[in-house]
Amino acid sequence: MALVSKAVPALIGMAGSAIASKGAGLVWKGVTGKEPPVIGPDSEDTLRNALIWSILAAVTGTVVSFAIARVQRRFFS
């Protein structure tokens, strides 16, 4: 039972992170009309777009992580 009580919050956190990433990508595509910047030597994305995308993704991930931690604390403590 202890394994389940540790695994469930971890799985919820991973699922939340994946959903947040997809959501941020959809917002980016909706606003710019392009796919989010990718890292690679053949990338044609500008540094400006890469920095904005990095900040958007980081803020989204942090907010979702914080919200999930609060919910987990409430239900799994």
Side-chain angles (χ1 to χ4, degrees):
M1 187 66 174
L3 180 63
V4 172
S5 67
K6 291 182 181 182
V8 169
L11 291 173
I12 292 170
M14 287 188 289
S17 296
I19 291 169
S21 176
K22 285 288 186 185
L26 289 173
V27 168
W28 181 270
K29 190 171 183 178
V31 171
T32 65
K34 300 177 183 178
E35 292 294 323
V38 294
I39 298 171
D42 298 333
S43 178
E44 295 181 7
D45 294 311
T46 63
L47 178 61
R48 178 179 176 263
N49 283 348
L51 287 173
I52 292 171
W53 169 249
S54 297
I55 292 168
L56 174 68
V59 168
T60 303
T62 301
V63 169
V64 168
S65 176
F66 181 75
I68 289 172
R70 300 261 322 225
V71 170
Q72 287 176 347
R73 211 173 321 142
R74 181 177 297 164
F75 291 108
F76 293 105
S77 294

